[in-house]
Amino acid sequence: MKTTIARLILASAVVVSGSVSKAQYLIGASSGGVLFELRSRPSDGHASASFDPGPGPFWTASVFYREQHFDHTNLGLELIYTRKEFEVSYSDGGLAGSYGTEGYVELDLLHLAIIPQVNLGASKRAVVRFGLMQGILLRGRISGREWYHVGGTNYDRTFEKERTEDFGGDLRLFFGFGFEVAMGERARVLFDPYFTPAITSLLKQEPRSKGMEWGLRISLALRMPGTTIAEWMLRITPAGEPGY
């Protein structure tokens, strides 16, 4: 029954998307630059944080699958790598003592993104793109110092490119455009400006963080004929399930 409901939702999407063109999709890879901003979230206690992004832009790259099956709205899937570097200082404490960390952070992040796109014309050469990105931290390093003062105990040490557990992948919204230029019968060059505000925090310690990034990736892609994921899902007939 659940599968039937899922198929009905997909069928409704086909109606919303409008007419169907010949099944085809783009597969490709992109590279570009990204700028970002990080700020501290409000704290209910004594926690504080400050961020200063390093000189950018920083490198970003992706591999993607983008359908061109429906005339209006199509599915897009993307695996996105982003590099972030920034100065940071964060601390917490109270009457019993305090502790903190400051230094230079280097993060390598990977986001899995579901990004539907809406065609801006019949040619499908310009689209609006929107969706969600769920990230994981591939590698995190920090160089700097950490300290704490508790009672009569004072501790302070410096370190260089140590692994950090205080940062992780974040969940982000995605908004952008896509512009396609044909380079022959199948080859395409794409220009993808985008903006991604964060929903969850990159900093896992209080007071946590909020931020946004914006960038531009340039892609090389191939236009492929064949059954798309959306079309394949609509064709699935679950074994042993009665028809309706």
Side-chain angles (χ1 to χ4, degrees):
M1 184 62 181
K2 290 182 179 179
T3 309
T4 300
I5 294 173
R7 294 185 67 205
L8 288 173
I9 292 172
L10 282 170
S12 300
V14 173
V15 173
V16 172
S17 296
S19 58
V20 178
S21 59
K22 184 179 179 181
Q24 53 195 350
Y25 53 89
L26 296 176
I27 56 171
S30 71
S31 181
V34 59
L35 297 171
F36 68 94
E37 168 182 306
L38 284 171
R39 299 188 303 275
S40 173
R41 294 179 185 265
S43 172
D44 294 331
H46 299 280
S48 64
S50 62
F51 305 88
D52 182 16
F58 296 99
W59 186 53
T60 177
S62 75
V63 291
F64 59 82
Y65 164 91
R66 300 179 189 175
E67 296 182 356
Q68 296 184 326
H69 181 51
F70 301 117
D71 285 344
H72 294 156
T73 305
N74 285 283
L75 174 66
L77 302 174
E78 203 152 342
L79 198 60
I80 303 168
Y81 165 83
T82 307
R83 173 78 170 190
K84 284 185 168 71
E85 297 181 17
F86 51 91
E87 297 275 357
V88 68
S89 175
Y90 51 99
S91 61
D92 199 355
L95 295 176
S98 61
Y99 62 90
T101 301
E102 59 185 29
Y104 191 78
V105 177
E106 304 170 48
L107 303 179
D108 295 303
L109 298 156
L110 188 68
H111 284 82
L112 174 61
I114 301 176
I115 309 175
Q117 52 191 38
V118 178
N119 299 321
L120 295 179
S123 67
K124 306 178 184 178
R125 298 294 173 84
V127 299
V128 175
R129 308 174 65 222
F130 57 92
L132 287 172
M133 303 166 51
Q134 177 59 61
I136 61 171
L137 179 64
L138 297 178
R139 178 178 178 271
R141 295 289 185 270
I142 182 170
S143 300
R145 62 180 285 263
E146 64 179 5
W147 51 266
Y148 68 80
H149 307 298
V150 180
T153 302
N154 296 314
Y155 171 85
D156 194 313
R157 78 178 185 96
T158 60
F159 45 84
E160 184 74 20
K161 290 188 180 296
E162 283 194 3
R163 180 179 177 182
T164 175
E165 303 289 345
D166 292 346
F167 295 87
D170 55 358
L171 176 66
R172 313 183 72 86
L173 295 172
F174 182 100
F175 303 99
F177 293 92
F179 303 96
E180 177 184 319
V181 178
M183 302 292 288
E185 183 176 349
R186 293 178 58 194
R188 298 289 186 270
V189 174
L190 294 90
F191 300 87
D192 296 323
Y194 65 91
F195 167 70
T196 66
I199 298 175
T200 62
S201 175
L202 197 66
L203 175 63
K204 302 309 176 185
Q205 301 292 324
E206 291 295 336
R208 303 187 184 274
S209 65
K210 58 182 178 179
M212 60 188 71
E213 67 179 47
W214 50 95
L216 172 66
R217 285 191 287 269
I218 300 175
S219 312
L220 293 176
L222 286 178
R223 196 174 189 181
M224 309 292 291
T227 303
T228 63
I229 292 176
E231 186 184 22
W232 173 77
M233 290 182 70
L234 286 169
R235 290 179 179 178
I236 294 175
T237 302
E241 182 173 324
Y244 289 91

